[in-house]
Amino acid sequence: MTDKLIIFDTTLRDGEQSPGASMTKDEKLRIARQLERLKVDVIEAGFAASSNGDFECVKAIAEAIKDSTICSLARANDRDISRAAEALRPAKSGRLHLFLATSPLHMEKKLRMTPDQVFDQAKLATRFARNLMDNIEFSPEDGYRSDPDFLCRVLEAVIAEGATTINVPDTVGYAIPELYGHFIKNLRERIPNSDKAIWSVHCHNDLGMAVANSLAGVKIGGARQVECTINGLGERAGNCSLEEVVMAVKTRRDYFGLDMNIDPQHIVAASRMVSQTTGFVVQPNKAVVGANAFAHASGIHQDGVLKARDTYEIMRAEDVGWSNNKIVLGKLSGRNAFKQRLQDLGVQMESEGDINAAFTRFKELADRKSEIFDEDILALVSEESVTHDKEQYGFVSLSQHSETGERPEATIVITVDGKEFKGQSDGNGPVDASLKAIESHVKSGAEMVLYSVNAISGSTESQGEVTVRLQNSGRVVNGVGADPDIVVASAKAYLSALNKLHSKADRVAAQG
Ligand code: KIV
Ligand code: ZN
């Protein structure tokens, strides 16, 4: 019998808690399909009780995904648990994930509860959840900073009530690999019924050790589930990165001796999809999925790799899906080829009309750009929001003039609730002028907290992908826009962020 490591992806829940990373239902469904293709064991689809939108997302993912277990987070109270169970009802395989803080700081300052009250609530909530579903995960939030004696008491009780997975979060990223590994080992050794549950690790990356801590939890602590996100997405410094943890366990199978269901061929596509959807750009030197992860610049390395690949390479780029990044379509590609590619990429459009609209935009792009990559198609689809008539603001056209020594000027035509408006402005540069031209009409008053440009597929022929992060009245959103013209891409990203600012519903935070 092989020893299996369960991969639990929380990109759509903990990852989405990053500033501005909130996703629409369609975006989440698309990512969930990619995670299913990647053969992730458990997909945490959201926190159903946090908002009606999150409830609908969990439900839609539970309906659509058949090969992964679908999980919803819930606070340890009857209302949250019932709501999560309701959203998970269509799932072929569902899991309720209950959490309740157990550290002295969180119990006293956040929950304002005594340890005995927390103990009782954890027990009763698990009992309530177990009456609704068989697959129950319990997380003592801020578990790593909790008193081990108290934690043993709580975890023994929730296992006795039927919790099937015990997850030990390092909520604030405070752990050190060896200490975290022994922390889990110690809990498993001291809790008499610990063998009745699968043990899981959930590490945040505040000290840059989320992956190392998770691996220590597995190796030293005996955990058999890792909670992680694509690209390590997550609030503050993020979560444990799925691609890094998976490739570490796979590449060093000699050390870990564990098998996983994951199909790593889909890692790069998943990484691209998450970064394009959320606007969180992947740094070039990021392990496994960064643009430079397999690039050998130094002459000595290039020479070595040409003579024998394993002189400087411990993984093969194609094994994680880099070679799938090929030219897929061009100007002469027909609607069927386009539709097929959308399907291969996990993009499901609501109607034939939507496919026709996307195909028209694909043709427009193919007229301007000879090679269309998967990334272009994904950008075209994610950008739907700024051309979609359901959205408040839409992009129509832009003209701008810039010349050395002159102050740039821009004139933009946008739609507001379907009606066309023109805005004009000058600015420090063409992008500044164009965004000010939008503001001259919209007057959102939003503060821009991030602006970044990235080439989607490398060369200057590539589309520019722009991320704009706006903040207004405490809300933070990211807008992403793509176009071969980076000034147009910037305007689209800005409008996309404005649309999100107007549509983002209030929700309950999972932590804090
Ligand atoms: O980091 C954390 O503690 C969490 C829990 C809600 C599991 O995300
Ligand atoms: Zn977390």
Side-chain angles (χ1 to χ4, degrees), residues 85-154:
E86 172 72 23
L88 290 172
R89 193 171 299 164
K92 195 165 153 208
S93 161
R95 174 184 293 187
L96 285 169
H97 179 187
L98 278 45
F99 77 100
L100 184 61
T102 50
S103 67
L105 196 63
H106 278 229
M107 288 191 292
E108 191 196 324
K109 302 281 185 223
K110 187 180 86 169
L111 298 176
R112 296 185 198 287
M113 285 167 79
T114 64
D116 282 344
Q117 287 170 326
V118 167
F119 175 82
D120 288 343
Q121 187 168 328
K123 227 173 117 149
L124 291 176
T126 309
R127 187 179 301 167
F128 182 80
R130 188 58 205 245
N131 281 329
L132 300 175
M133 214 171 247
D134 290 340
N135 193 339
I136 307 294
E137 173 168 332
F138 182 85
S139 287
E141 191 190 1
D142 205 17
Y144 183 65
R145 292 195 301 172
S146 303
D147 168 35
D149 292 342
F150 178 60
L151 209 48
C152 284
R153 210 179 133 216
V154 172

Coordinates of all heavy atoms in Angstrom, one line a residue, residues 85-154:
A85 N -23.5 23.5 4.5 CA -24.0 22.2 4.1 C -25.0 22.3 2.9 O -25.1 21.5 2.0 CB -24.7 21.5 5.3
E86 N -25.8 23.4 3.0 CA -26.8 23.6 1.9 C -26.1 23.9 0.6 O -26.5 23.3 -0.4 CB -27.6 24.9 2.4 CG -28.6 25.4 1.4 CD -29.8 24.5 1.2 OE1 -30.1 23.7 2.1 OE2 -30.4 24.6 0.1
A87 N -25.1 24.7 0.6 CA -24.3 25.0 -0.6 C -23.7 23.8 -1.2 O -23.5 23.6 -2.4 CB -23.3 26.1 -0.4
L88 N -23.3 22.9 -0.3 CA -22.5 21.7 -0.7 C -23.5 20.5 -1.1 O -23.0 19.5 -1.6 CB -21.6 21.2 0.4 CG -20.4 22.1 0.7 CD1 -19.7 21.6 2.0 CD2 -19.4 22.1 -0.4
R89 N -24.8 20.7 -0.9 CA -25.7 19.6 -1.2 C -25.5 19.0 -2.6 O -25.5 17.8 -2.7 CB -27.1 20.1 -1.0 CG -28.1 18.9 -0.9 CD -29.5 19.2 -0.5 NE -29.5 19.8 0.8 CZ -30.6 20.5 1.3 NH1 -31.6 20.7 0.5 NH2 -30.5 21.0 2.5
P90 N -25.3 19.7 -3.7 CA -25.2 19.1 -5.0 C -23.8 18.3 -5.2 O -23.7 17.6 -6.2 CB -25.2 20.2 -6.0 CG -25.5 21.5 -5.2 CD -25.2 21.2 -3.8
A91 N -22.9 18.5 -4.2 CA -21.6 17.9 -4.5 C -21.6 16.4 -4.5 O -22.3 15.8 -3.6 CB -20.6 18.4 -3.4
K92 N -20.9 15.8 -5.4 CA -20.7 14.3 -5.4 C -20.0 13.9 -4.1 O -20.3 12.9 -3.5 CB -19.9 13.9 -6.6 CG -20.0 12.5 -7.0 CD -19.5 12.2 -8.4 CE -19.0 10.8 -8.5 NZ -18.0 10.6 -9.5
S93 N -19.0 14.7 -3.8 CA -18.2 14.5 -2.5 C -18.0 15.8 -1.9 O -17.4 16.7 -2.5 CB -16.9 13.8 -2.9 OG -16.0 13.9 -1.8
G94 N -18.5 16.0 -0.7 CA -18.5 17.3 0.0 C -17.8 17.3 1.3 O -17.7 16.2 1.9
R95 N -17.3 18.4 1.8 CA -16.6 18.5 3.1 C -16.9 19.8 3.7 O -16.9 20.8 3.1 CB -15.1 18.3 2.9 CG -14.4 18.5 4.2 CD -12.9 18.5 4.1 NE -12.3 17.2 3.7 CZ -11.0 16.9 3.7 NH1 -10.1 17.9 4.0 NH2 -10.6 15.8 3.4
L96 N -17.3 19.7 5.0 CA -17.5 20.9 5.8 C -16.2 21.2 6.6 O -15.6 20.3 7.2 CB -18.6 20.7 6.9 CG -20.0 20.7 6.3 CD1 -21.0 20.2 7.4 CD2 -20.4 22.1 5.9
H97 N -15.7 22.4 6.5 CA -14.5 22.8 7.2 C -14.8 23.8 8.3 O -15.1 25.0 8.0 CB -13.5 23.4 6.1 CG -12.2 23.9 6.7 ND1 -11.3 24.5 6.0 CD2 -11.6 23.8 8.0 CE1 -10.2 24.8 6.7 NE2 -10.4 24.4 7.9
L98 N -14.8 23.4 9.5 CA -15.1 24.3 10.7 C -13.8 24.9 11.2 O -12.8 24.2 11.3 CB -15.7 23.4 11.8 CG -17.2 23.0 11.7 CD1 -17.6 22.5 10.4 CD2 -17.5 21.9 12.8
F99 N -14.0 26.1 11.6 CA -12.8 26.7 12.3 C -13.2 27.5 13.5 O -14.3 28.1 13.6 CB -11.9 27.6 11.3 CG -12.5 28.9 11.0 CD1 -12.0 30.1 11.6 CD2 -13.5 29.1 10.1 CE1 -12.5 31.3 11.3 CE2 -14.0 30.3 9.7 CZ -13.5 31.5 10.4
L100 N -12.4 27.5 14.5 CA -12.6 28.2 15.8 C -11.2 28.5 16.4 O -10.4 27.6 16.5 CB -13.5 27.4 16.7 CG -13.9 28.1 18.0 CD1 -14.7 29.3 17.8 CD2 -14.7 27.1 18.9
A101 N -11.0 29.7 16.8 CA -9.6 30.1 17.3 C -9.4 29.5 18.7 O -10.3 29.4 19.5 CB -9.5 31.6 17.4
T102 N -8.2 29.0 18.9 CA -7.8 28.4 20.2 C -6.6 29.0 20.9 O -6.2 28.6 22.0 CB -7.5 26.9 19.9 OG1 -6.5 26.8 18.9 CG2 -8.7 26.1 19.6
S103 N -6.0 30.0 20.3 CA -4.8 30.6 20.9 C -5.3 31.6 22.0 O -6.4 32.2 21.9 CB -4.0 31.4 19.9 OG -4.7 32.5 19.4
P104 N -4.6 31.8 23.1 CA -5.0 32.7 24.2 C -5.3 34.1 23.6 O -6.4 34.6 24.0 CB -3.8 32.7 25.1 CG -3.0 31.5 24.8 CD -3.3 31.1 23.4
L105 N -4.5 34.6 22.7 CA -4.7 35.9 22.2 C -6.0 36.0 21.4 O -6.9 36.9 21.6 CB -3.5 36.2 21.2 CG -3.3 37.6 20.8 CD1 -3.0 38.5 22.0 CD2 -2.2 37.7 19.8
H106 N -6.3 35.0 20.5 CA -7.5 35.1 19.7 C -8.8 34.9 20.6 O -9.8 35.5 20.4 CB -7.5 34.0 18.6 CG -6.7 34.5 17.4 ND1 -7.2 34.3 16.1 CD2 -5.5 35.0 17.3 CE1 -6.3 34.8 15.3 NE2 -5.3 35.2 16.0
M107 N -8.6 33.9 21.6 CA -9.8 33.6 22.4 C -10.2 34.9 23.2 O -11.3 35.2 23.3 CB -9.5 32.4 23.3 CG -9.5 31.1 22.6 SD -9.5 29.7 23.7 CE -7.9 29.8 24.5
E108 N -9.1 35.5 23.8 CA -9.4 36.6 24.7 C -9.8 37.9 23.9 O -10.8 38.5 24.2 CB -8.2 36.9 25.6 CG -8.5 37.8 26.7 CD -7.2 38.4 27.4 OE1 -6.2 37.6 27.5 OE2 -7.2 39.6 27.7
K109 N -9.0 38.2 22.9 CA -9.2 39.5 22.3 C -10.2 39.5 21.2 O -10.9 40.5 20.9 CB -7.9 40.0 21.7 CG -6.7 40.2 22.7 CD -6.9 41.4 23.5 CE -5.7 41.6 24.5 NZ -6.0 42.0 25.8
K110 N -10.2 38.4 20.4 CA -11.1 38.4 19.2 C -12.5 37.8 19.6 O -13.5 38.4 19.3 CB -10.5 37.6 18.1 CG -11.2 37.7 16.8 CD -10.6 36.9 15.7 CE -11.0 35.4 15.7 NZ -10.6 34.7 14.5
L111 N -12.4 36.6 20.2 CA -13.7 35.9 20.4 C -14.3 36.3 21.7 O -15.5 36.2 21.9 CB -13.5 34.4 20.5 CG -12.9 33.7 19.2 CD1 -12.7 32.2 19.5 CD2 -13.9 33.8 18.1
R112 N -13.5 36.9 22.6 CA -14.0 37.2 24.0 C -14.7 36.0 24.6 O -15.8 36.1 25.1 CB -14.9 38.4 24.0 CG -14.1 39.7 23.5 CD -15.0 40.9 23.6 NE -14.5 42.0 22.8 CZ -13.4 42.7 23.1 NH1 -12.7 42.5 24.2 NH2 -12.9 43.6 22.3
M113 N -14.0 34.9 24.5 CA -14.6 33.6 25.1 C -13.5 33.0 26.0 O -12.3 33.2 25.8 CB -14.9 32.6 24.0 CG -16.2 33.0 23.2 SD -16.3 32.0 21.7 CE -16.9 30.5 22.4
T114 N -14.0 32.3 27.0 CA -13.0 31.6 27.9 C -12.6 30.3 27.2 O -13.4 29.8 26.3 CB -13.6 31.2 29.2 OG1 -14.7 30.3 29.0 CG2 -14.2 32.4 30.0
P115 N -11.5 29.6 27.6 CA -11.1 28.4 27.0 C -12.2 27.3 27.1 O -12.5 26.6 26.2 CB -9.9 28.0 27.7 CG -9.3 29.3 28.1 CD -10.4 30.2 28.4
D116 N -12.9 27.3 28.2 CA -14.0 26.3 28.4 C -15.1 26.5 27.4 O -15.7 25.6 26.9 CB -14.5 26.3 29.8 CG -13.6 25.6 30.8 OD1 -12.7 24.8 30.3 OD2 -13.7 25.8 32.0
Q117 N -15.4 27.8 27.2 CA -16.5 28.1 26.2 C -16.1 27.7 24.8 O -16.9 27.1 24.0 CB -16.8 29.6 26.2 CG -17.6 30.1 27.4 CD -17.7 31.6 27.5 OE1 -16.7 32.3 27.1 NE2 -18.8 32.1 28.1
V118 N -14.8 27.9 24.5 CA -14.3 27.5 23.1 C -14.4 26.0 23.0 O -14.8 25.4 22.0 CB -12.9 28.0 22.9 CG1 -12.2 27.4 21.7 CG2 -12.9 29.6 22.7
F119 N -14.0 25.3 24.1 CA -14.0 23.8 24.1 C -15.4 23.3 23.8 O -15.7 22.5 22.9 CB -13.5 23.3 25.4 CG -13.6 21.8 25.6 CD1 -12.6 21.0 25.1 CD2 -14.7 21.3 26.3 CE1 -12.7 19.6 25.2 CE2 -14.8 19.9 26.4 CZ -13.8 19.1 25.9
D120 N -16.4 23.9 24.5 CA -17.8 23.4 24.4 C -18.3 23.7 22.9 O -18.9 22.9 22.3 CB -18.7 24.1 25.4 CG -18.5 23.6 26.8 OD1 -17.9 22.5 26.9 OD2 -18.9 24.3 27.7
Q121 N -17.9 24.9 22.5 CA -18.4 25.3 21.1 C -17.8 24.4 20.0 O -18.5 24.0 19.1 CB -18.1 26.8 20.8 CG -18.8 27.2 19.5 CD -18.8 28.7 19.3 OE1 -18.8 29.5 20.3 NE2 -18.7 29.2 18.1
A122 N -16.6 24.1 20.2 CA -15.9 23.3 19.2 C -16.6 21.9 19.1 O -16.9 21.3 18.1 CB -14.4 23.1 19.5
K123 N -16.9 21.4 20.3 CA -17.5 20.0 20.4 C -18.9 20.0 19.8 O -19.2 19.2 19.0 CB -17.6 19.7 21.9 CG -17.1 18.4 22.3 CD -17.1 18.3 23.8 CE -18.1 17.2 24.1 NZ -17.9 16.4 25.3
L124 N -19.7 21.0 20.3 CA -21.1 21.0 19.8 C -21.2 21.3 18.3 O -22.0 20.7 17.6 CB -21.9 22.1 20.6 CG -22.1 21.8 22.1 CD1 -22.8 23.0 22.8 CD2 -22.9 20.5 22.2
A125 N -20.3 22.2 17.8 CA -20.4 22.5 16.4 C -20.0 21.3 15.6 O -20.6 21.0 14.5 CB -19.4 23.7 16.1
T126 N -19.0 20.5 16.0 CA -18.6 19.3 15.3 C -19.7 18.3 15.3 O -20.0 17.7 14.3 CB -17.3 18.7 15.9 OG1 -16.3 19.8 16.0 CG2 -16.7 17.6 15.0
R127 N -20.4 18.2 16.5 CA -21.5 17.2 16.6 C -22.6 17.6 15.6 O -23.1 16.8 14.8 CB -22.0 17.2 18.0 CG -23.1 16.2 18.2 CD -23.6 16.2 19.7 NE -22.5 16.0 20.6 CZ -22.6 16.2 22.0 NH1 -23.7 16.6 22.5 NH2 -21.6 16.0 22.8
F128 N -22.9 19.0 15.5 CA -24.0 19.5 14.7 C -23.6 19.2 13.2 O -24.4 18.7 12.4 CB -24.1 21.0 14.9 CG -25.2 21.6 14.1 CD1 -26.5 21.5 14.4 CD2 -24.9 22.3 12.9 CE1 -27.5 22.0 13.7 CE2 -25.9 22.9 12.2 CZ -27.2 22.8 12.5
A129 N -22.3 19.5 12.9 CA -21.9 19.3 11.5 C -21.9 17.8 11.1 O -22.3 17.4 10.0 CB -20.4 19.8 11.3
R130 N -21.5 17.0 12.0 CA -21.4 15.5 11.7 C -22.8 14.9 11.4 O -23.0 13.9 10.7 CB -20.7 14.8 12.9 CG -20.4 13.4 12.6 CD -19.5 13.2 11.4 NE -19.6 11.9 10.8 CZ -18.7 11.0 10.8 NH1 -17.5 11.2 11.2 NH2 -18.9 9.8 10.3
N131 N -23.8 15.6 12.0 CA -25.2 15.1 11.7 C -25.6 15.5 10.3 O -26.6 14.9 9.7 CB -26.2 15.7 12.7 CG -26.1 15.0 14.0 OD1 -25.9 13.8 14.0 ND2 -26.4 15.7 15.1
L132 N -24.9 16.4 9.7 CA -25.3 16.9 8.3 C -24.4 16.2 7.2 O -24.8 16.1 6.1 CB -25.1 18.4 8.2 CG -26.0 19.2 9.1 CD1 -25.7 20.7 9.0 CD2 -27.5 19.0 8.8
M133 N -23.2 15.9 7.6 CA -22.2 15.4 6.6 C -21.2 14.5 7.3 O -20.9 14.7 8.4 CB -21.5 16.6 6.0 CG -21.1 16.5 4.6 SD -20.5 18.0 3.9 CE -21.8 18.4 2.8
D134 N -20.6 13.5 6.5 CA -19.7 12.6 7.1 C -18.2 13.2 7.1 O -17.4 12.8 7.9 CB -19.6 11.3 6.3 CG -20.9 10.5 6.5 OD1 -21.6 10.7 7.5 OD2 -21.2 9.6 5.6
N135 N -18.0 14.0 6.1 CA -16.6 14.5 5.9 C -16.4 15.8 6.6 O -16.8 16.9 6.1 CB -16.3 14.6 4.4 CG -14.9 14.7 4.0 OD1 -14.1 15.1 4.9 ND2 -14.5 14.4 2.8
I136 N -15.8 15.8 7.7 CA -15.7 17.0 8.6 C -14.2 17.3 8.9 O -13.5 16.5 9.4 CB -16.4 16.9 9.9 CG1 -17.9 16.4 9.8 CG2 -16.4 18.2 10.7 CD1 -18.8 17.4 9.1
E137 N -13.8 18.6 8.5 CA -12.5 19.0 8.9 C -12.6 20.1 10.0 O -13.5 21.0 9.9 CB -11.8 19.6 7.7 CG -10.5 20.3 8.0 CD -9.6 20.6 6.8 OE1 -9.8 20.0 5.7 OE2 -8.8 21.6 6.9
F138 N -11.8 20.0 11.0 CA -11.8 21.0 12.1 C -10.4 21.7 12.1 O -9.4 21.1 12.1 CB -12.1 20.4 13.4 CG -12.1 21.4 14.5 CD1 -13.3 22.1 14.8 CD2 -11.0 21.7 15.3 CE1 -13.3 23.1 15.8 CE2 -11.0 22.7 16.2 CZ -12.2 23.4 16.5
S139 N -10.4 23.1 12.1 CA -9.2 23.8 12.2 C -9.2 24.7 13.5 O -10.1 25.6 13.6 CB -9.1 24.8 11.0 OG -8.7 24.1 9.9
P140 N -8.3 24.5 14.4 CA -8.2 25.4 15.5 C -7.4 26.6 15.0 O -6.2 26.5 14.8 CB -7.3 24.6 16.5 CG -6.6 23.6 15.7 CD -7.3 23.4 14.4
E141 N -8.1 27.7 14.7 CA -7.4 28.9 14.1 C -6.3 29.4 15.1 O -6.5 29.4 16.3 CB -8.4 30.0 13.8 CG -7.9 31.1 13.0 CD -8.8 32.3 12.9 OE1 -9.8 32.3 13.5 OE2 -8.4 33.3 12.2
D142 N -5.2 29.8 14.5 CA -4.0 30.2 15.2 C -3.5 29.1 16.1 O -3.0 29.3 17.2 CB -4.3 31.5 16.1 CG -3.0 32.3 16.4 OD1 -2.0 32.1 15.7 OD2 -3.0 33.1 17.3
G143 N -3.7 27.9 15.5 CA -3.4 26.6 16.3 C -2.0 26.6 16.7 O -1.7 26.2 17.9
Y144 N -1.0 27.1 15.9 CA 0.4 26.9 16.2 C 0.7 27.8 17.5 O 1.7 27.5 18.2 CB 1.3 27.3 15.0 CG 2.7 27.2 15.4 CD1 3.3 25.9 15.6 CD2 3.6 28.3 15.4 CE1 4.6 25.7 15.9 CE2 4.9 28.1 15.8 CZ 5.4 26.8 16.0 OH 6.7 26.7 16.4
R145 N 0.0 28.9 17.7 CA 0.3 29.7 18.9 C -0.6 29.4 20.1 O -0.8 30.1 21.0 CB 0.1 31.2 18.5 CG 1.2 31.7 17.5 CD 1.3 33.2 17.5 NE 0.1 33.8 17.1 CZ -0.2 35.1 17.1 NH1 0.8 35.9 17.5 NH2 -1.3 35.5 16.7
S146 N -1.2 28.2 20.0 CA -2.1 27.8 21.1 C -1.4 27.0 22.1 O -0.3 26.4 21.8 CB -3.3 26.9 20.5 OG -4.0 27.7 19.5
D147 N -1.9 26.9 23.3 CA -1.3 26.1 24.4 C -1.5 24.6 24.0 O -2.6 24.1 23.8 CB -2.0 26.4 25.7 CG -1.7 25.4 26.8 OD1 -0.5 25.0 26.8 OD2 -2.5 25.1 27.6
P148 N -0.4 23.8 23.9 CA -0.5 22.4 23.4 C -1.5 21.6 24.3 O -2.2 20.8 23.8 CB 0.9 21.9 23.5 CG 1.8 23.1 23.4 CD 1.0 24.2 24.0
D149 N -1.5 21.9 25.6 CA -2.4 21.1 26.5 C -3.9 21.3 26.1 O -4.7 20.4 26.0 CB -2.2 21.5 28.0 CG -0.8 21.0 28.5 OD1 -0.2 20.1 27.8 OD2 -0.4 21.5 29.5
F150 N -4.2 22.6 25.9 CA -5.5 23.0 25.6 C -5.9 22.4 24.2 O -7.0 21.9 24.0 CB -5.7 24.5 25.6 CG -7.1 25.0 25.2 CD1 -8.2 24.6 26.0 CD2 -7.3 25.8 24.1 CE1 -9.5 25.0 25.6 CE2 -8.5 26.2 23.8 CZ -9.6 25.8 24.5
L151 N -5.0 22.5 23.3 CA -5.2 22.0 21.9 C -5.5 20.5 22.0 O -6.4 20.0 21.3 CB -4.0 22.3 21.1 CG -4.2 22.6 19.6 CD1 -5.3 23.5 19.3 CD2 -2.9 23.1 19.0
C152 N -4.7 19.8 22.8 CA -4.9 18.3 22.8 C -6.4 18.1 23.3 O -7.1 17.2 22.8 CB -4.0 17.7 23.8 SG -2.3 17.6 23.2
R153 N -6.8 18.9 24.3 CA -8.2 18.6 24.9 C -9.2 18.9 23.8 O -10.1 18.1 23.6 CB -8.3 19.7 26.0 CG -9.2 19.2 27.1 CD -9.3 20.3 28.2 NE -10.7 20.5 28.5 CZ -11.2 21.7 28.8 NH1 -10.5 22.8 28.9 NH2 -12.5 21.7 29.1
V154 N -9.1 20.0 23.1 CA -10.1 20.4 22.0 C -10.0 19.3 20.9 O -11.1 18.8 20.5 CB -9.8 21.8 21.5 CG1 -10.7 22.1 20.3 CG2 -10.0 22.8 22.6

